Amino acid sequence: MIGALVAIAGQTARLSLRGGGALIGVVFFLAVVIVVPFGVGPDLKLLARIGPAMLWIGALLATLLNLDRLFRDDRDDGSLDLLVLAEVPLELTVLAKCAGAWLATSLPLVVVAPFLGILLGLEPAALATTTATLLVGTPALTLIGAIGAALVAALGRGGLLVAVLVLPFTIPVLIFGVSAASAVIVGPTPFLPPFLILTALTLGSAVVAPVAAAAALHAGAD
C-alpha cells in the first residue's frame, strides 16, 4: 500500500510539473511581490512591515491557482473511477495526491520566499520566521483546497470555482501564518503561540480534508 501511495504522489507531482503548475505558481508569486512596492511606495520600513503578509497572500493565491487540476485530469481520463474503486482507501489516495501537489506547486514557493522577502526589505529573522510559517502552513492550504477540488470534480466543473469555494476556509491559516511571521517585526505577539496554532491547523486539515474530499468523490461517483 505504501508503494502505491508513493506512486500516486509521484505521478501527481510529475503531472503538475509537466503542466507548468510549479512555474506558473512561482511567476504569479513573483508578480504579486513585485507589484506591491508600486502600490505602497518605496518606503522600506512599510514594505518590511507588510512583507510577511504579502508573501503569505501571494503564496495563498498561487496555491489556489493550480488546485483545480488535482482531480480534473483523473476525471477526464477516467482514472478517477479506478481510484474510487481501488483497494487503497480513497482517503489515503487523496492525502497522497495532496502531498504530490504540495511538493510540485507549494514547496517551490517556500524555496523562493526568502529571495522575494529580500526585495521587500525583510530582515534575516523575519525571513526565517516567514519561511518557517510557509513551510508549515502551505500544506494546510493544499489540503483545504483538495476539498474544493473534489467537489468541483464531482460536479464536472473546474476553473476558478475551486478558489471561490475554499478561499473563506483558508482565512484562519492566513491569519495565524501572518501573525507568527510578523511577530519578530511588529510584536508584541510572540512567535510560538500562533505558530503552534498554525501547526495544529495543518495537522487537523491532514485528518479532516482527506475524509471530506473522499466523501465528495464517492458522492460524485454514485
Side-chain angles (χ1 to χ4, degrees), residues 53-192:
M54 295 313 305
L55 289 174
W56 257 97
I57 292 173
L60 169 62
L61 296 177
T63 299
L64 296 180
L65 192 66
N66 296 301
L67 282 176
D68 69 305
R69 298 187 56 198
L70 189 58
F71 300 108
R72 186 184 66 191
D73 294 337
D74 297 320
R75 180 197 66 197
D76 293 343
D77 62 17
S79 59
L80 183 59
D81 294 330
L82 297 178
L83 294 177
V84 173
L85 298 174
E87 295 182 359
V88 179
L90 187 56
E91 292 80 3
L92 294 180
T93 299
V94 171
L95 189 60
K97 290 185 70 65
C98 289
W102 180 83
L103 288 172
T105 59
S106 295
L107 185 58
L109 304 180
V110 178
V111 173
V112 302
F115 302 99
L116 299 183
I118 294 175
L119 298 178
L120 297 174
L122 294 183
E123 297 293 333
L127 289 174
T129 55
T130 302
T131 304
T133 57
L134 288 172
L135 182 63
V136 172
T138 48
L141 301 179
T142 301
L143 288 162
I144 295 172
I147 302 176
L151 290 171
V152 169
L155 295 174
R157 301 181 64 181
L160 294 177
L161 182 58
V162 176
V164 173
L165 286 174
V166 305
L167 185 60
F169 301 99
T170 62
I171 298 302
V173 180
L174 180 64
I175 290 174
F176 290 105
V178 173
S179 297
S182 302
V184 299
I185 301 176
V186 297
T189 305
F191 169 76
L192 193 57

